[in-house]
Amino acid sequence: MNQEEWAIDVRGLTKAYGTEEVLKGLDLRVGQGTVYGILGPNGAGKTTLIGILSTLLAPDSGSVRVFGLDVVREADAVRRRIGLTGQFAAVDEEMSGLDNLVLFGRLAGYSAKAAKARAEELLDAFGLLDAGGRAAGKYSGGMRRRLDIAAAMLVAPDLLFLDEPTTGLDPRSRSEVWDIVRALVDHGTTVLLTTQYLEEADQLADRVAVIGRGSVIAEGTPSELKASIGSGSIQIRLANPQQRGEAEQLLRRVLRTDARLHSNPAELSAQVSDPRLAALALTELYEAGISTHQYSLGEPSLDEVFLTLTGRGAQDELLKEETL
């Protein structure tokens, strides 16, 4: 493709804060009309990358283009084609949903009449029309997130940055946001998604890049990344969480690999290259008196890919972040 045909074209990007190098020669290309997922542990440079792509930060070196436009020399033109939604809803909770969107519309250059018309159109599209007159502070988490994304869509962007868009949302609200993202892409918007919910990347992303130590360490479709670690996976939910330590030792012995402990104290998983070993492990768990509520054997999850590539699980990173 020519540079203009890529929604994002990053080559040799570097960025440092003092002596700390955050991005080290990062390369990234994102096709138009797709959802592109960015994964990485805390401190990998995801937020810095979004800041540079959205013209909020200046790169130290390298080429960074959005639809062929240089993010430094042509920053104003880039801003006219992008929208940005951060990790937390950036709405005024004392104002109504309608007034929030009208305010953002006025800031974007709409007349008062046009801003109100556009705000009502978006409230309707995002299922918030009936709640438009209520204070945003009385919205549920999912409703506030929908309002936040609607604000980013006031001037329909060609490229929308979603930085951790569903952090803290319940599963139903998360699913609602996913439906909105799919609808945006169906209408031609390109979405760059950073997330630590691996299911989210699996559900939405056409391609995924894993960032580690300031550069892209793996890139491909979710299926390609799962296949890249070269094995299947057995996932087990125990009847008694207190037996997980014993189950972990048994899996390590039978499968000759380390088991991964999940955030749910009853769950663990391990990579397995031979289904016969998985069957043997289940048999030995039974003979050892370790009952299982559920087990499955299949391809690795994206979280296991993340763990293999970065040395830590994405859900563990999220839990650590939430306790800070």
Side-chain angles (χ1 to χ4, degrees), residues 127-238:
L128 295 170
L129 192 58
D130 291 342
R134 287 162 41 196
K138 296 181 179 180
Y139 286 10
S140 67
M143 292 170 70
R144 283 197 300 272
R145 176 53 72 191
R146 279 185 277 159
L147 182 64
D148 198 39
I149 297 175
M153 295 296 297
L154 274 160
V155 179
D158 296 318
L159 172 61
L160 179 62
F161 298 106
L162 294 179
D163 190 11
E164 307 281 357
T166 61
T167 295
L169 296 187
D170 60 75
R172 179 177 178 179
S173 297
R174 188 173 301 146
S175 180
E176 290 174 350
V177 173
W178 292 352
D179 288 341
I180 289 170
V181 173
R182 294 186 185 102
L184 295 177
V185 175
D186 286 344
H187 285 84
T189 297
T190 301
V191 174
L192 186 72
L193 168 74
T194 70
T195 182
Q196 288 186 357
Y197 291 113
L198 277 298
E199 181 189 4
E200 186 160 77
D202 221 349
Q203 287 279 336
L204 295 176
D206 299 291
R207 297 187 71 80
V208 173
V210 180
I211 296 179
R213 300 175 294 279
S215 62
V216 175
I217 58 177
E219 197 272 350
T221 67
S223 294
E224 288 171 346
L225 290 179
K226 292 172 187 178
S228 71
I229 66 173
S231 65
S233 172
I234 184 170
Q235 302 189 28
I236 296 171
R237 178 177 295 176
L238 301 173

Side-chain angles (χ1 to χ4, degrees), residues 99-137:
D99 288 342
N100 265 285
L101 293 186
V102 169
L103 173 62
F104 284 120
R106 295 288 282 151
L107 291 172
Y110 284 104
S111 68
K113 181 178 180 181
K116 186 172 185 295
R118 179 63 174 156
E120 290 175 341
E121 177 186 357
L122 286 168
L123 287 172
D124 187 30
F126 283 77
L128 295 170
L129 192 58
D130 291 342
R134 287 162 41 196

Side-chain angles (χ1 to χ4, degrees), residues 252-313:
R252 183 186 299 118
R253 174 174 57 80
V254 174
L255 301 178
R256 296 186 289 277
T257 186
D258 289 336
R260 177 166 182 270
L261 305 182
H262 293 232
S263 56
N264 184 324
E267 294 182 357
L268 70 166
S269 63
Q271 294 179 35
V272 54
S273 56
D274 187 340
R276 291 172 296 182
L277 287 178
L280 178 60
L282 291 171
T283 299
E284 295 212 12
L285 285 171
Y286 174 78
E287 292 177 348
I290 303 173
S291 299
T292 60
H293 267 330
Q294 182 180 342
Y295 61 87
S296 62
L297 180 64
E299 67 178 4
S301 67
L302 269 184
D303 198 51
E304 288 168 311
V305 174
F306 191 98
L307 174 65
T308 299
L309 294 172
T310 68
R312 44 192 147 170

Side-chain angles (χ1 to χ4, degrees), residues 21-81:
E21 277 191 291
V22 178
L23 299 176
K24 306 173 184 178
L26 185 141
D27 296 319
L28 184 71
R29 290 181 179 177
V30 177
Q32 295 187 32
T34 64
V35 179
Y36 196 98
I38 300 288
L39 308 178
N42 293 332
K46 302 186 301 294
T47 299
T48 296
L49 174 62
I50 294 291
I52 292 171
L53 289 168
S54 59
T55 76
L56 298 176
L57 295 173
D60 292 339
S61 65
S63 170
V64 184
R65 292 183 175 273
V66 171
F67 297 109
L69 301 167
D70 186 279
V71 298
V72 176
R73 296 193 303 271
E74 301 169 285
D76 288 342
V78 170
R79 292 181 192 124
R80 285 193 287 270
R81 301 193 65 175

